[in-house]
Amino acid sequence: MEFDLIDLIRQRAAGERADVALGIGDDAALLAPPPDHELAVAIDTLVDGAHCPAATEPADIGWKSLAVNLSDLAAMGATPAWALLSLTLPDADGDFVRAFADGFAELARRHDVALVGGDTAHGPLSVSVCVHGFVPRGQALRRDGARVGDAVYVTGTPGDAAAALRCLQASDVVASTLRGRLDRPVPRVATGLALRSLAHACIDVSDGLVADLGHICRASGVGMDIDVDRLPLSDALMEQVDAATARKLALGGGDDYELCFTAPRDDRVLQAVARVGGNATCIGAVIAGSTVRVLDHGNDITPSRHGWEHFSA
Amino acid sequence: MEFDLIDLIRQRAAGERADVALGIGDDAALLAPPPDHELAVAIDTLVDGAHCPAATEPADIGWKSLAVNLSDLAAMGATPAWALLSLTLPDADGDFVRAFADGFAELARRHDVALVGGDTAHGPLSVSVCVHGFVPRGQALRRDGARVGDAVYVTGTPGDAAAALRCLQASDVVASTLRGRLDRPVPRVATGLALRSLAHACIDVSDGLVADLGHICRASGVGMDIDVDRLPLSDALMEQVDAATARKLALGGGDDYELCFTAPRDDRVLQAVARVGGNATCIGAVIAGSTVRVLDHGNDITPSRHGWEHFSA
């Protein structure tokens, strides 16, 4: 069964890549990384229920399992290249696998990602993906380069995915825009590449904006002031929940897979992001210190660490 | 929790490697593959119950999750280098994680494997590992190079792991030698490296000897005759089960993680394997054809395809 399933997905994913010397079908893939580049490698697992609400479509699970990994490459400023997939399924359900393959392959094609390996197992639904990308040596966007005086930026509109999850959990009706942001997050690959020579530090928003900015603070030895009024909230979010909840979800909700980054306060940053079809908003500044402060008209409204951390599934 | 758990394992694994530019703690690891080499990459998942009997020690699960992956690199003739680990656990059980880390790290240290990334999730126990190794360009051992006239070899004593599993499932007492072969398979890394310039085709025994030799036949467009009398059966196996069962387990049982390979019938092959402390036995020959035949004093006793394939979990 193993190769049939995995091969089905491979066929729907990217075409041939010249750097794949040997793809699926042997004990390991043989790959040829480009010279003078570093290989960026990440692994992430989606578990049924914890990361995907019960009603998630199989095609969306396929998409998201790759998206959360490409988001890690985007945050490094890496160009995606290869993926391996480990799929655990309760039974060999052909309909599920075909739909899963469609979603996975649709995103893989967009980024010319070749599926080069994988395995399947019997068990409760779980999907592990390991992705590989390339960065010219020394040019990766890391978490540890933020400097006092940098501006703090976020792409897109954080909070949307968390709003969708919250409504689903309460069995409320969810706007399709928000549901799409939860089920089909768009990894900000082009933005990450555009930021390579501009940003000092970068991370993707998976745990929640404040939590993830905190990771940059710890790695860089800096603090941050975030101005709550500058948070870019989507119309869909504002229509779904009240203003206080919208802020809370934007600051604390996870699963957005946007990028947050620090860079000099310079028009070239926003221009570079816009040039690749992305958008980013300045939401604060890097200061001396060690933690993230959230300010509302100058008043510190930073909640306890606990308050913002969503359940880390 | 994520980095704490993964970092605990990293600390117990290999020391620093010069080719790890950035290890655990960012969105992705940054790695520097050596020039003029291909990267061999494989992923494999262990699911509780399916791959590890219920009573398997956490340290053995840690060992085995890496061993099955290093076995894939061994079968390619690759030198292991880096691993990523995705660990799904029902709860944050410190004792389990420490023991798991000990087993994983013990094997990682033996092969100078650095843990460069990972994630953790809540859910039913499942372990995905993705490993990376190096092979000088064009020198990997593949499945598709077997030639008519080659001898067929297998390392070690196949059937032991399957015998242990069979006894455990029947609640019989299992000899500790056999149990160790199931819980702590030893990836034949040094043997794989020694075979690089000698073997024409190679695979590791995970599905079962006949099934895995069949993979070589299909990839190489050849057939094989296997002489059942030449199967290297361990004393422990012969003491645990009757002779007919021992043969059946050796031919059809999985989970041995030995290597089977084809190479010219030449003393240098066995000498090269012996030089690195391994052992191999010639069990047959590559012939024109497309399938594996099992012969007992010249009589074809090949069972139906179904008969040898163990449940592919």
Side-chain angles (χ1 to χ4, degrees):
Chain A
M1 163 171 101
E2 195 153 302
F3 286 145
D4 297 347
L5 266 182
I6 296 295
D7 206 50
L8 182 73
I9 298 171
R10 182 196 59 75
Q11 287 166 18
R12 297 174 189 216
E16 301 299 307
R17 286 182 60 103
D19 54 19
V20 178
L22 183 65
I24 287 165
D26 213 302
D27 291 284
L30 294 173
L31 308 168
D36 303 321
H37 285 66
E38 283 166 342
L39 197 63
V41 189
I43 193 168
D44 256 310
T45 296
L46 294 188
V47 177
D48 193 28
H51 300 97
C52 301
T56 308
E57 293 292 335
D60 293 338
I61 298 175
W63 172 287
K64 191 167 178 177
S65 69
L66 181 58
V68 302
N69 279 281
L70 293 184
S71 181
D72 281 327
L73 295 185
M76 302 302 286
T79 306
W82 312 309
L84 295 93
L85 165 67
S86 184
L87 184 57
T88 302
L89 282 177
D91 45 58
D93 174 345
D95 289 341
F96 179 95
V97 170
R98 274 185 292 275
F100 178 94
D102 282 339
F104 187 97
E106 186 182 344
L107 184 59
R109 281 195 304 270
R110 286 198 196 181
H111 295 284
D112 196 24
V113 169
L115 186 67
V116 298
D119 80 322
T120 56
H122 288 195
L125 178 62
S126 165
V127 191
S128 290
V129 174
C130 182
V131 288
H132 299 73
F134 311 138
V135 201
R137 195 178 298 147
Q139 291 185 31
L141 299 172
R142 301 164 51 143
R143 298 182 180 179
D144 59 3
R147 302 176 203 168
V148 173
D150 279 356
V152 178
Y153 299 87
V154 67
T155 65
T157 51
D160 295 349
L165 187 60
R166 187 169 178 273
C167 293
L168 285 171
Q169 284 167 344
S171 301
D172 287 349
V173 175
V174 190
S176 64
T177 322
L178 298 182
R179 186 68 199 260
R181 298 262 296 150
L182 176 66
D183 290 341
R184 293 243 170 180
V186 176
R188 304 302 181 189
V189 172
T191 298
L193 294 176
L195 290 173
R196 211 146 65 183
S197 53
L198 294 167
H200 292 155
C202 188
I203 191 172
D204 74 329
V205 182
S206 55
D207 292 344
L209 184 57
V210 171
D212 288 312
L213 289 174
H215 294 318
I216 291 184
C217 288
R218 271 189 295 284
S220 299
V222 298
M224 286 179 190
D225 277 352
I226 301 302
D227 182 350
V228 77
D229 269 343
R230 299 167 83 172
L231 287 173
L233 304 179
S234 73
D235 292 344
L237 178 64
M238 296 297 283
E239 281 160 23
Q240 184 86 43
V241 299
D242 63 61
T245 305
R247 280 180 171 188
K248 193 180 152 203
L249 292 170
L251 289 165
D255 264 352
D256 283 312
Y257 302 102
E258 297 293 344
L259 299 181
C260 49
F261 58 97
T262 83
R265 192 183 300 270
D266 186 326
D267 287 344
R268 284 183 307 167
V269 173
L270 297 179
Q271 286 161 6
V273 173
R275 207 173 297 128
V276 296
N279 69 79
T281 307
C282 176
I283 57 169
V286 177
I287 58 170
S290 60
T291 56
V292 179
R293 283 198 311 180
V294 181
L295 302 176
D296 183 4
H297 296 93
N299 297 317
D300 186 345
I301 59 159
T302 316
S304 70
R305 178 182 150 83
H306 227 64
W308 295 115
E309 287 207 341
H310 79 129
F311 177 70
S312 150
Chain B
M1 162 174 102
E2 195 154 301
F3 285 145
D4 297 348
L5 265 181
I6 296 294
D7 205 53
L8 183 73
I9 298 170
R10 182 196 59 79
Q11 287 166 18
R12 294 173 192 218
E16 301 299 308
R17 286 182 61 103
D19 53 19
V20 178
L22 182 65
I24 286 166
D26 213 303
D27 292 285
L30 293 172
L31 307 169
D36 303 320
H37 284 67
E38 284 166 340
L39 197 62
V41 188
I43 193 168
D44 256 312
T45 296
L46 295 187
V47 177
D48 193 29
H51 301 98
C52 302
T56 308
E57 294 291 336
D60 292 339
I61 297 175
W63 171 286
K64 191 167 178 177
S65 69
L66 181 59
V68 301
N69 278 282
L70 292 183
S71 180
D72 282 325
L73 294 185
M76 302 301 289
T79 306
W82 313 308
L84 295 93
L85 165 67
S86 185
L87 185 57
T88 302
L89 283 177
D91 45 58
D93 175 343
D95 288 343
F96 178 94
V97 171
R98 273 184 293 276
F100 177 94
D102 282 341
F104 187 97
E106 184 182 345
L107 183 59
R109 281 195 303 271
R110 287 197 195 181
H111 295 285
D112 195 24
V113 169
L115 186 67
V116 298
D119 81 321
T120 56
H122 289 193
L125 179 62
S126 166
V127 192
S128 290
V129 174
C130 181
V131 287
H132 300 73
F134 312 138
V135 200
R137 194 179 300 146
Q139 292 186 32
L141 300 173
R142 301 164 53 142
R143 297 181 181 180
D144 58 3
R147 304 175 201 170
V148 173
D150 278 356
V152 178
Y153 299 88
V154 66
T155 65
T157 51
D160 295 350
L165 186 60
R166 186 169 178 275
C167 294
L168 284 172
Q169 284 167 344
S171 300
D172 286 350
V173 175
V174 189
S176 63
T177 320
L178 297 182
R179 185 69 200 256
R181 298 261 297 150
L182 177 66
D183 291 342
R184 294 244 171 180
V186 176
R188 303 303 182 189
V189 173
T191 298
L193 294 176
L195 290 172
R196 212 148 59 185
S197 53
L198 295 167
H200 291 156
C202 187
I203 192 172
D204 74 328
V205 183
S206 54
D207 293 343
L209 183 58
V210 172
D212 288 312
L213 289 173
H215 294 317
I216 290 183
C217 288
R218 271 188 295 283
S220 299
V222 297
M224 286 180 190
D225 277 353
I226 301 302
D227 183 350
V228 77
D229 269 345
R230 298 166 83 174
L231 287 174
L233 304 178
S234 72
D235 293 343
L237 177 65
M238 297 297 282
E239 282 161 21
Q240 186 85 41
V241 297
D242 63 63
T245 304
R247 280 180 171 188
K248 193 181 152 205
L249 292 170
L251 289 164
D255 262 354
D256 282 314
Y257 302 101
E258 297 293 345
L259 299 181
C260 50
F261 59 96
T262 82
R265 193 182 300 272
D266 185 326
D267 287 345
R268 284 183 307 167
V269 173
L270 297 179
Q271 286 162 5
V273 173
R275 208 172 297 128
V276 296
N279 67 81
T281 307
C282 176
I283 58 170
V286 177
I287 59 170
S290 61
T291 56
V292 179
R293 284 199 309 182
V294 182
L295 302 176
D296 184 6
H297 296 93
N299 298 316
D300 185 346
I301 60 160
T302 315
S304 70
R305 176 183 150 84
H306 224 65
W308 294 116
E309 286 207 341
H310 80 128
F311 176 70
S312 152

